[in-house]
Amino acid sequence: MKIQIHGAGMAGSYLYFLLRDEFEVGIDDVRNKPDCRCAWGISYKEAKELYKNIGVNLDDYILSKPKYGIVNGIKLKNKYIVIFDRAKLLSDLWKEIDFKKVDADIEIDATGYKRAYLPKIENDRVYPTVQRIEVHEIDENIYTYTSQFGYAWAFPLGDNRWHIGAGEKSVERAEALIEGLRKAYGFEKKEPSCSCISGVRLLPPSKCRPFIRCIYIGVGEAIGCVSGFGEGNAPALKSAEILRDCLVEENFNDYEERILKEFKWIEIEHKFVDAVQQNKMLTALFYMLRVIAIERKRSLSYSPKDILSIIKVSLNPDAQSF
């Protein structure tokens, strides 16, 4: 079987190394080098185990292990999120990739939110993100500032460098969120060393079907493998592992079922986020304890009181007291 992967980001590059010893694999990417956009945070335990499968030690790329995540002024214990050098990790992988195209039997859509090869998603929801790298002398925590429809972040990259960005329903709203973050935490506006505008898909896998159309199969963000809070790195890797198993077994009928089963937790998080966005507070409360249990296992340690305080500021920025 010959396989062509389109996109050499987190999912595509990882899948390439999982497959290259068992199949003839081609891979291509529209970029000539990995970019530095977004995606600096990753769930450490999950990602470290997954990268072991291709001989990569995630510890070699860790930039920071913040003690706290501060969300709308609420200080939360950071359990598992690390900030990693995504661009360097991908650059090192690209050095070992033989970029080429093959006359493929199967083609993989690993093009992220662009979903360039699979059919368009009905009622798709892709939010623009604005991002930049700046220098600040601020304690190395993860800082976020949320609205009802998005959030701004500041990730410490070491040596006083910070990745600052936001995702919202429009670029203008994202920029406004960044201004809110600056005001809340003291990130003065600085000249960035780099900046860009990109996007993120905020739909769960169940709303990103089909995963397969003719010879095309989706993976990663192209099929909604992004948490309800925007973390798509570890889910991208896990989705690639599931796809590898299906390719090895030549069993594509189970791919959709396996993805939906693995990422039930993403479905729950999106239901919670949707409820908040639609002001359905009783529904949000119904999912809240399940979301807390999920995130305690993969990111920050929340309590119900923390979540309610965060929601209060998200719905009413004037309610902030930090």
Side-chain angles (χ1 to χ4, degrees):
M1 185 188 299
K2 296 181 181 179
I3 300 170
Q4 182 69 37
I5 302 171
H6 300 289
M10 294 294 290
S13 61
Y14 183 65
L15 182 63
Y16 173 87
F17 284 95
L18 290 176
L19 296 178
R20 68 174 182 173
D21 292 335
E22 300 188 59
F23 302 95
E24 182 178 348
V25 184
I27 188 169
D28 60 87
D29 198 285
V30 297
R31 301 166 293 180
N32 56 21
K33 65 178 182 178
D35 53 45
C36 63
R37 65 180 178 87
C38 202
W40 295 81
I42 196 166
S43 184
Y44 176 77
K45 287 178 65 178
E46 183 179 2
K48 183 174 175 64
E49 290 302 311
L50 288 165
Y51 269 124
K52 281 182 181 179
N53 294 331
I54 62 169
V56 171
N57 183 358
L58 183 61
D59 292 335
D60 294 338
Y61 299 93
I62 302 301
L63 297 172
S64 177
K65 295 181 178 179
K67 289 185 178 180
Y68 300 101
I70 302 178
V71 185
N72 289 359
I74 307 297
K75 181 183 282 190
L76 307 172
K77 178 71 175 177
N78 177 30
K79 299 183 72 175
Y80 299 118
I81 295 296
V82 297
I83 312 303
F84 76 116
D85 195 334
R86 176 181 180 273
K88 185 176 188 305
L89 190 157
L90 288 176
S91 293
D92 288 348
L93 291 180
W94 280 29
K95 292 173 185 176
E96 299 181 38
I97 288 176
D98 179 18
F99 285 93
K100 64 180 181 181
K101 292 189 176 182
V102 300
D103 185 14
D105 304 295
I106 298 291
E107 302 197 33
I108 309 300
D109 189 338
T111 61
Y113 75 92
K114 294 181 180 178
R115 192 175 158 106
Y117 294 88
L118 286 172
K120 291 183 178 180
I121 298 169
E122 186 177 355
N123 299 318
D124 201 358
R125 187 165 65 197
V126 175
Y127 283 6
T129 62
V130 295
Q131 303 159 62
R132 53 189 64 107
I133 295 177
E134 301 175 356
V135 174
H136 296 276
E137 293 186 14
I138 293 177
D139 291 343
E140 288 197 357
N141 298 306
I142 299 168
Y143 298 92
T144 59
Y145 179 79
T146 72
S147 69
Q148 189 173 2
F149 297 99
Y151 71 96
W153 64 81
F155 293 154
L157 307 181
D159 298 324
N160 293 326
R161 296 186 311 134
W162 291 82
H163 188 273
I164 294 174
E168 242 279 11
K169 296 177 75 172
S170 69
V171 170
E172 293 74 20
R173 290 169 65 124
E175 291 285 6
L177 267 181
I178 290 177
E179 292 307 308
L181 178 136
R182 293 188 189 282
K183 181 180 178 181
Y185 301 117
F187 286 90
E188 296 180 6
K189 194 166 186 177
K190 300 280 188 74
E191 186 68 26
S193 59
C194 71
S195 61
C196 66
I197 296 175
S198 187
V200 61
R201 171 165 287 111
L202 290 176
L203 282 179
S206 65
K207 295 184 179 180
C208 294
R209 292 175 284 191
F211 300 167
I212 301 175
R213 176 62 58 88
C214 299
I215 65 170
Y216 296 100
I217 304 177
V219 71
E221 188 177 355
I223 58 170
C225 297
V226 178
S227 84
F229 302 129
E231 195 277 294
N233 286 312
L237 302 178
K238 186 62 181 179
S239 69
E241 183 181 63
I242 293 170
L243 179 53
R244 184 276 312 272
D245 292 344
C246 290
L247 289 167
V248 169
E249 298 164 12
E250 295 189 24
N251 179 7
F252 307 118
N253 292 331
D254 291 344
Y255 180 55
E256 180 177 302
E257 181 181 349
R258 292 185 190 186
I259 288 290
L260 294 176
K261 181 178 180 180
E262 175 65 33
F263 296 116
K264 281 184 178 178
W265 64 270
I266 288 181
E267 303 285 337
I268 292 168
E269 290 197 344
H270 277 279
K271 287 176 180 177
F272 170 77
V273 171
D274 286 347
V276 172
Q277 291 185 348
Q278 296 167 23
N279 286 313
K280 296 180 178 179
M281 290 302 108
L282 288 179
T283 303
L285 291 172
F286 175 80
Y287 288 110
M288 184 175 68
L289 292 180
R290 297 170 73 183
V291 168
I292 289 171
I294 290 166
E295 290 304 315
R296 280 178 174 171
K297 292 180 180 178
R298 66 185 317 273
S299 64
L300 306 174
S301 182
Y302 293 88
S303 72
K305 182 180 178 181
D306 294 331
I307 293 285
L308 292 173
S309 297
I310 291 165
I311 291 173
K312 181 180 179 181
V313 174
S314 298
L315 297 176
N316 180 17
D318 293 335
Q320 66 171 277
S321 58
F322 57 99

